Every structure is written in structure tokens, then in C-alpha cells.
Amino acid sequence: MPEKTSAPGKIILLGEHAVVYGIPAVAVPLSTLRVTVSWQKLESGDFQIIARDLKNQDITLTPNLDNEQNPLTRIVSSVLAYYNQKLPSVRFEITSDLPIASGLGSGAAVSTALGRAVANSIGEDIPNAILNEMVYNVEKIHHGTPSGIDNTVIVYEQSIKYKKDEPIESLRVHTPFTVLVADTGVTALTHQAVGDVRKLYQANQQRIQSIFNEIDSIVVTAIDYIGRGQIKELGKLMYQNHKLLQKLTVSSPKLDHLVEVALSEGALGAKLSGGGRGGNMIALVEEDMIDTVGNALSSAGATRVFHTDIK
Ligand code: PMV
């Protein structure tokens, strides 16, 4: 029987991109969509990673783990170095419910689940704080200058207020609410969008900083509303956040279209989520509007729509 580990996906409710510059952001785990890693000891002496859901990657690693730029080998070598262990003879198989490059945290979830599996395969249970640091370093390969929000929400599997270099705060939710997640079907590289925002920032620091400051006050107010159960007001802030993300050039015509469709069909708020330019958008809906708004998003071209409850 293979042993198993897993990690959830995530969505960012508010504050993406600005979070890279020290503004707080809110993220929640998607516990129903997961990356799973099954592992099995081998007699052959080989070390194998089979990752067909991730662009058909079948990797048979050499024992020196010399490819530091491959996220899979990097997390394996980090865990083994931490425990001062050699490469075990194990076959790891990665399966994923998460589309890649879509803002749902696929990269961090793969690193988290694989890191746990490697530790388990050598008889260790890796502490979250250690794993979080390792996954953050792998995120740098994907993203260049990640804020650390993805690895944190995924490793701890907790709804959080995240602010760079500050202790993680759990998000206090007064009244559970529902968010629809709709995929544009367009993949987009986060590091590209993050890089473009950096160029904007360097070219016009004052203007971009004032957008970040507006996002800051939206996030702080939204956290207060979530804590008080003021969900309608939260919806308005999500849309305001989307408008500011447009100014940062990280939206796209399809994201904008899905956001407008969700609002015109009765969502309380909507915005892109994550790196943007493609990937997923989210819409805050009352329970009796889940089907109406969800169907409208599908008809408007979303390739996958599901809902998640935030408690
Ligand atoms: O991984 P994504 O696409 O959800 O984006 C992460 C959020 C950003 O704020 C855009 C980048 C970061 O490192 O925080």
C-alpha cells in the first residue's frame, strides 16, 4: 500500500500584488482541491518522481540532485539536506486537482505535499515552520520575488491575514460566506505579472505606492467586515480591489468580463484572484445565488466554476 501526503490549493481574497510590497493580504486554503503524493519504497535503488498532472513530468533523479532550478528536485534536496540523509529508493507519484499557472497555488501545493512525502519516506514528520521556509525558497524559482503568502496559507492550511515579515494571523470569520471560483482557462505566469508591476513601480513610485495604500486600507477594512459578518460591504471592497488591480495592469479582458457578469447576475462582489492576466476570478455570492451566478460565469466562458465556503 502506498503511503500518502497532501496539500490544499488556495485563493487570495484580497491584497495580491500589493502584498509583495508589504501590504497585508487575505488568503484561504481550498481544502477540497488538493495535490496528493503517494510514495512507495523501491527495491531497485532508483529514486523516481512521476508527475503526469504537471506537464507530463516523469523524473528519475540522479543521486546528486544537481538541478537546483527544478522545483521538484529543489524541495527533495532541501528536505534531505535538513535531515542529513541520502536519496532514498522511493517512487513518488504526484496527482493534482489544481490547474497549473492559474493562481490557485499549484506550485506551492506540489512542493508542500512532496516535501512532506520525502520526509515521511525517511521516517520523519517535517515541522510546518521548517517546510514553510523550504517551500518559500522553491517559490522563488517560480515567482522571482514571492511575498510568501502562497506557501504560508498552503503549508498551514489556514485562512490567514498575511503581511510580509510579520507573524501569521488567523482570519476571524464571524459569519461563513461563499465564494465562487471561475477559471478563465488562460494560463499566466505570476512572475511576469509581478515583474511588470515592479517596472510600473520603478517608473512611477508615487502613483503606484498610492494604489498600494488604497489596497492597504481596503484589506484592513475588509478584515474588519469579515470579523463582524458584514458580507455585503465585503463584496464592495472586493470590486474596489479589482479596479485597483486593473490599474496595476494585471487584469485581462476575460477577467474583467467575468467580473462584470458575476456582478450583473447578483454577486455581492467580484475580482481577479492571484497573479492575474488569466487564471481565476472569484465572486462573493449569497447561497441562493450560487447557481445563477455560477451558470452565468460558465456561459460567459469560464472553463471551470466551483464554490467554496469560507468559515
Ligand atoms: O500564485 P498566484 O498567482 O496566486 O500569485 C501570488 C500572489 C502575488 O501577490 C501576485 C505574488 C506574491 O508572491 O504574493
Side-chain angles (χ1 to χ4, degrees):
M1 268 293 271
E3 311 273 348
K4 267 186 190 166
T5 58
S6 73
K10 69 100 219 310
I11 48 176
I12 296 181
L13 282 186
L14 299 138
E16 55 276 269
H17 285 288
V19 67
V20 175
Y21 297 79
I23 303 300
V26 178
V28 301
L30 277 177
S31 293
T32 50
L33 292 188
R34 307 188 75 82
V35 170
T36 303
V37 177
S38 332
W39 59 272
Q40 207 157 17
K41 298 232 173 199
L42 295 176
E43 299 297 321
S44 61
D46 278 355
F47 177 93
Q48 297 175 352
I49 300 176
I50 314 292
R52 295 205 181 90
D53 287 346
L54 314 174
K55 296 192 202 149
N56 290 323
Q57 284 197 68
D58 285 10
I59 299 181
T60 305
L61 290 172
T62 50
N64 60 9
L65 288 171
D66 53 5
N67 187 354
E68 279 285 293
Q69 287 314 305
N70 180 313
L72 300 181
T73 56
R74 173 72 85 83
I75 192 73
V76 172
S77 58
S78 307
V79 173
L80 293 176
Y82 179 73
Y83 289 110
N84 203 11
Q85 292 270 336
K86 292 206 198 69
L87 206 61
S89 181
V90 177
R91 177 185 202 269
F92 297 91
E93 185 151 1
I94 304 173
T95 52
S96 178
D97 305 325
L98 297 165
I100 54 173
S102 299
L104 297 184
S106 153
V110 168
S111 301
T112 302
L114 183 58
R116 286 187 177 131
V118 171
N120 286 180
S121 76
I122 55 170
E124 303 285 355
D125 206 359
I126 190 162
N128 281 341
I130 304 292
L131 183 60
N132 194 29
E133 192 63 35
M134 290 176 185
V135 176
Y136 176 67
N137 285 321
V138 178
E139 286 292 282
K140 288 184 187 162
I141 303 175
H142 290 295
H143 289 180
T145 53
S147 63
I149 191 168
D150 276 23
N151 46 289
T152 305
V153 62
I154 286 170
V155 168
Y156 290 95
E157 199 163 346
Q158 237 185 63
S159 297
I160 52 167
K161 169 190 168 190
Y162 179 83
K163 192 168 175 191
K164 226 166 142 178
D165 303 324
E166 287 195 2
I168 318 156
E169 272 182 53
S170 311
L171 185 71
R172 208 171 57 79
V173 179
H174 178 280
T175 310
F177 55 95
T178 302
V179 166
L180 279 164
V181 183
D183 198 336
T184 58
V186 178
T187 54
L189 295 173
T190 298
H191 75 82
Q192 187 115 30
V194 170
D196 289 349
V197 172
R198 184 160 307 274
K199 279 185 211 143
L200 274 185
Y201 181 73
Q202 282 161 350
N204 196 341
Q205 206 152 326
Q206 236 178 348
R207 182 174 154 258
I208 302 304
Q209 186 61 49
S210 86
I211 294 177
F212 291 155
N213 293 346
E214 282 186 70
I215 295 176
D216 191 351
S217 84
I218 286 175
V219 174
V220 170
T221 312
I223 290 169
D224 188 49
Y225 287 157
I226 294 169
R228 293 168 188 268
Q230 290 175 247
I231 300 307
K232 282 199 176 121
E233 288 83 347
L234 170 65
K236 288 187 193 131
L237 292 180
M238 284 170 65
Y239 186 56
Q240 284 174 25
N241 193 169
H242 181 74
K243 296 306 258 179
L244 293 167
L245 288 162
Q246 282 177 335
K247 290 191 184 166
L248 294 177
T249 75
V250 295
S251 192
S252 73
K254 188 155 185 189
L255 281 165
D256 291 342
H257 180 56
L258 294 179
V259 164
E260 295 306 330
V261 166
L263 294 173
S264 68
E265 293 295 325
L268 300 174
K271 62 184 279 294
L272 71 84
S273 176
R277 300 260 167 90
N280 282 268
M281 56 78 69
I282 55 175
L284 180 65
V285 285
E286 281 164 319
E287 217 177 319
D288 58 352
M289 295 305 284
I290 294 174
D291 289 344
T292 311
V293 179
N295 292 337
L297 288 169
S298 298
S299 303
T303 53
R304 164 152 94 165
V305 181
F306 62 91
H307 65 272
T308 185
D309 293 332
I310 293 156
K311 297 175 192 145

